[in-house]
């Protein structure tokens, strides 16, 4: 399901609020009054340069104008509506949109409850798995059941056999008493084991907490941008940043040594034991430089990063640790690619990710990450959604695509280019049409983290950026799109997609009833459309 925010209505309200006529605003924008009238009545889609000009002329934040925050809430509620717990409750797409726009606090509460419910369900599934597979827990439960069975057997004999001798009766009572005495420590061990393994659990997982906090801030942190600019000024002037100069600076300022280790080590670390930054020698230069910059940020500006982490109001030490590392990576990316410089370069080179990467000494994934953060008020870049998937197809990183339902975890739609990119050497582009008609330009590329030795599989992912087709005129990947380049009908995932005739479907949507069909966005889908 995809739902568009009524951008035209927002434009009309703001125009009237500041006392502008349609003709005056149209002249200022360089378009006709009749075309502006169509826009305000939501009969023409707008985006790209025109959307930016309208936002600047009316002094409207681009995120508010496009309704990105509301669209994320709408997407989550849409996901909730196809969950089995909502079976029998139908809510049309328009009703979901009205709820999010007219009662944002209620919608936010609903999405938070759904996230808590989802995480609680995951915790229950984890406990079920533990009951089946944890050897120590299985031993404790087996011992408990045996002792209870012994007590029950002895009690039944005492209760049902009246002609027991006193000696026999005393023996059974003694046996029951012994079993009870032995059962008490077993039960105590069982309780202690559950207490020990669940002390740090929360209804919302640490990673989900961090993701929610970053999304709530639109993946843009002005204080960290300012911090990164100040730290970047301390670096050697030569650009791209040189590995040797950065290693010397880390050593001189913080006493941190730099060492290349055997390629058998899989991942870089941040200032390991002995104040040494150990990085595998098989990692590419951009990865080594990024690890150095992250370490530099952690040492030079830890209080500022921790202050931002504290503003997230996270509920566990693990969530705070993950948030600190994520924001340290944010600062490292901003140091490598300062805001104004990377935005100007992106606009000049039309968001050509590979070309930008070669100019700034960054990898495809690093540039893609940075482009997603360009949300400064009045100086926004193209609004991108970000996804990363591993070779098994699971999404390992994501920043939501405005207006679309995305699964919170697991796998996405097989027809997304993020999956076909594994079979290609370069960038794959695709125009994807989602249920409801929203059209997105998606570009993806396979990225290999570093080389590996013979018979060793290197860490390999696929990274995808998506933007609304309204912005396609601003990026190089939207160039030369022809009518013959057919758009691909896609969806969020099989569990959330109503396209029943899709030949790639491998499971039915949540709530589907083969006898009755499934209500999706208020429309019933016939079960006759088989897999």
């Amino acid at each position: 399901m995809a739902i568009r925010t009524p951008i035209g209505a927002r434009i009309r309200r703001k125009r009237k609020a500041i006392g502008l006529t349609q003709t005056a605003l149209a002249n200022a924008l360089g378009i006709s009054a009749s075309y502006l009238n169509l826009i305000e009545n939501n009969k023409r889609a707008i985006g790209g340069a025109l959307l930016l000009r309208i936002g600047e002329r009316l002094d409207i934040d681009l995120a508010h104008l496009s309704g990105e925050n509301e669209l994320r809430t709408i997407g989550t509620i849409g996901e909730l509506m196809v969950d089995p717990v909502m079976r029998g409750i139908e809510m049309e797409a328009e009703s979901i949109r009205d709820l999010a726009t007219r009662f944002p606090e209620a919608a936010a509460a609903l999405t938070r409850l759904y996230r808590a419910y989802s995480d609680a369900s995951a915790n229950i599934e984890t406990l079920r798995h533990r009951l089946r597979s944890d050897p120590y827990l299985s031993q404790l439960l087996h011992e408990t059941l045996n002792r209870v069975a012994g007590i029950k057997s002895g009690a039944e004999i005492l209760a049902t056999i009246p002609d027991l001798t006193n000696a026999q009766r005393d023996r059974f009572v003694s046996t029951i008493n012994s079993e009870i005495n032995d059962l008490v420590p077993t039960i105590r061990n069982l309780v202690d084991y559950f207490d020990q393994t669940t002390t740090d659990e929360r209804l919302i997982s640490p990673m989900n907490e961090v993701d929610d906090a970053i999304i709530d801030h639109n993946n843009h942190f002005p204080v960290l941008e300012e911090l990164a600019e100040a730290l970047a000024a301390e670096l050697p002037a030569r650009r791209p940043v040189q590995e040797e100069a950065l290693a010397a600076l880390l050593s001189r300022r913080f006493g941190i040594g730099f060492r290349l280790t055997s390629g058998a080590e899989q991942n870089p670390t941040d200032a390991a034991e002995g104040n040494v930054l150990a990085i595998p020698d098989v990692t590419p230069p951009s990865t080594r430089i990024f690890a150095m910059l992250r370490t530099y940020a952690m040492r030079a500006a830890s209080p500022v990063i921790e202050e931002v982490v504290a503003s997230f109001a996270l509920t566990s030490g693990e969530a705070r640790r993950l948030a600190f590392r994520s924001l340290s990576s944010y600062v490292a990316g901003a140091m490598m690619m300062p805001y104004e410089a990377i935005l100007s370069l992106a606009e000049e080179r039309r968001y050509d990710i590979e070309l930008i990467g070669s100019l700034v000494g960054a990898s495809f994934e690093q540039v893609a990450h940075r482009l997603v953060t360009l949300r400064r008020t009045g100086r926004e870049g193209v609004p991108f959604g970000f996804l990363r998937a591993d070779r098994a197809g699971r999404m390992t990183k994501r920043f939501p695509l405005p207006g679309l339902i995305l699964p919170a975890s697991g796998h996405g739609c097989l027809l997304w280019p993020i999956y076909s990119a594994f079979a290609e050497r370069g960038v794959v582009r695709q125009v994807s049409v989602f249920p409801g008609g929203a059209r997105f330009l998606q570009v993806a590329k396979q990225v290999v983290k570093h080389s590996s030795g013979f018979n060793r599989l290197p860490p390999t992912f696929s990274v995808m950026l998506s933007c609304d087709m309204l912005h396609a005129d601003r990026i190089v990947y939207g160039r030369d799109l022809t009518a013959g380049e057919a758009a691909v009908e896609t969806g969020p995932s099989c569990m959330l997609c109503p396209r029943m005739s899709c030949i790639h479907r491998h499971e039915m949507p949540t709530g589907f009833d083969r006898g009755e069909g499934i209500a999706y966005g208020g429309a019933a889908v016939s079960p006759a459309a088989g897999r």
Side-chain angles (χ1 to χ4, degrees), residues 1-5 66 68 71 375 382-386 399-406 415-417 428-443 464-472 475 477-478 481 485-491 499:
M1 176 170 57
I3 307 172
R4 291 190 179 276
T5 297
S66 60
E68 290 184 17
L71 290 170
R375 303 295 179 91
V382 169
F384 286 110
F386 177 95
F399 184 71
L401 304 173
L404 300 174
I405 297 177
L406 288 178
L415 297 175
W416 289 345
V428 179
R429 77 172 179 183
Q430 175 177 300
V431 177
S432 296
V433 181
F434 284 74
R439 297 165 65 88
F440 283 79
L441 178 59
Q442 300 182 311
V443 295
M464 182 174 76
L465 288 182
S466 300
C467 73
D468 195 297
M469 281 297 294
L470 295 174
H471 303 284
I475 66 177
Y477 308 105
L481 284 173
E485 190 167 353
V488 179
E489 291 188 343
T490 64
R499 300 191 193 279

Side-chain angles (χ1 to χ4, degrees), residues 263-446:
E265 296 184 30
Q266 290 296 309
N267 294 305
T269 59
D270 292 319
E273 318 89 43
N275 244 14
V276 174
L277 179 62
I279 302 180
D281 55 9
V282 295
T283 56
S286 59
T287 302
R288 297 200 293 266
I289 290 171
F290 189 87
M292 292 182 190
L293 290 173
R294 181 168 53 207
T295 302
Y296 192 96
M298 287 178 172
R299 291 300 183 92
S302 177
V304 178
I305 299 173
E306 288 178 345
E307 185 177 342
V308 178
V309 172
S311 72
F312 289 174
L314 302 173
T315 61
S316 71
E318 176 65 11
R320 288 186 286 273
R321 187 191 68 81
L322 291 172
F324 183 84
R325 183 175 177 84
S326 294
L327 295 184
S328 297
S329 295
Y330 182 104
V331 175
M335 291 172 66
M336 180 183 280
M337 295 167 276
Y339 195 99
E340 286 299 329
I342 193 62
L343 177 59
S344 298
L345 182 60
E347 292 287 346
E348 176 189 343
R349 302 301 176 128
R350 294 176 59 83
Y351 294 85
D352 189 325
I353 301 173
E354 291 177 301
L355 178 57
I356 294 170
S358 67
L359 293 173
V360 301
S363 69
F364 185 92
E365 183 174 355
Q366 288 166 356
V367 175
H369 265 294
R370 187 59 173 138
L371 294 181
V372 175
T373 67
L374 301 182
R375 303 295 179 91
R376 179 178 290 172
T377 302
R379 286 287 288 162
E380 299 92 346
V382 169
F384 286 110
F386 177 95
L387 283 175
R388 192 183 78 174
D390 62 18
R391 293 172 66 93
R394 294 171 301 181
M395 292 184 294
T396 58
K397 288 184 180 180
R398 72 175 196 140
F399 184 71
L401 304 173
L404 300 174
I405 297 177
L406 288 178
S409 60
H411 299 74
C413 176
L414 179 64
L415 297 175
W416 289 345
I418 195 171
Y419 298 125
S420 60
F422 282 112
E424 303 292 339
R425 297 183 64 87
V427 175
V428 179
R429 77 172 179 183
Q430 175 177 300
V431 177
S432 296
V433 181
F434 284 74
R439 297 165 65 88
F440 283 79
L441 178 59
Q442 300 182 311
V443 295
K445 184 183 179 182
Q446 176 181 260

Side-chain angles (χ1 to χ4, degrees), residues 454-476:
F454 180 68
N455 279 343
R456 292 181 65 88
L457 187 66
T460 304
F461 300 89
S462 179
V463 170
M464 182 174 76
L465 288 182
S466 300
C467 73
D468 195 297
M469 281 297 294
L470 295 174
H471 303 284
D473 63 328
R474 296 175 61 188
I475 66 177
V476 67

Side-chain angles (χ1 to χ4, degrees), residues 66-81:
S66 60
E68 290 184 17
N69 294 334
E70 292 170 1
L71 290 170
R72 285 196 291 269
T73 300
I74 289 169
T76 303
I77 296 176
E79 187 174 348
L80 166 63
M81 295 311 298

Side-chain angles (χ1 to χ4, degrees), residues 161-213:
I161 302 178
D163 54 349
L164 291 174
T165 65
N166 289 336
Q168 290 173 325
R169 187 175 298 277
D170 290 343
R171 187 169 67 251
F172 279 113
V173 169
S174 177
T175 299
I176 292 173
N177 186 62
S178 177
E179 290 289 352
I180 291 174
N181 287 334
D182 290 339
L183 180 61
V184 171
T186 301
I187 295 296
R188 182 179 296 115
N189 289 338
L190 185 61
V191 172
D192 290 344
Y193 181 65
F194 270 105
D195 285 344
Q196 177 183 352
T197 55
T198 59
T199 298
D200 294 330
E201 290 184 1
R202 297 292 188 273
L203 283 178
I204 300 179
S205 69
M207 183 59 72
N208 281 339
E209 273 196 293
V210 175
D211 286 346
D212 285 348

Side-chain angles (χ1 to χ4, degrees), residues 235-236 238-246 289 293 335-336 360-361:
L235 302 179
R238 184 179 175 186
R239 292 293 185 273
V241 179
Q242 301 300 300
E243 184 175 316
E244 296 79 8
L246 189 52
I289 290 171
L293 290 173
M335 291 172 66
M336 180 183 280
V360 301

Side-chain angles (χ1 to χ4, degrees), residues 8-42:
R10 295 177 187 269
I11 294 172
R12 183 172 60 251
R13 284 197 298 269
K14 182 63 175 181
R15 175 180 61 78
K16 290 182 176 180
I18 62 177
L20 274 180
T21 65
Q22 273 191 343
T23 301
L25 179 57
N27 290 338
L29 297 173
I31 61 176
S32 67
S34 59
Y35 187 64
L36 178 59
N37 184 62
L38 293 173
I39 290 173
E40 289 190 351
N41 286 282
N42 294 306

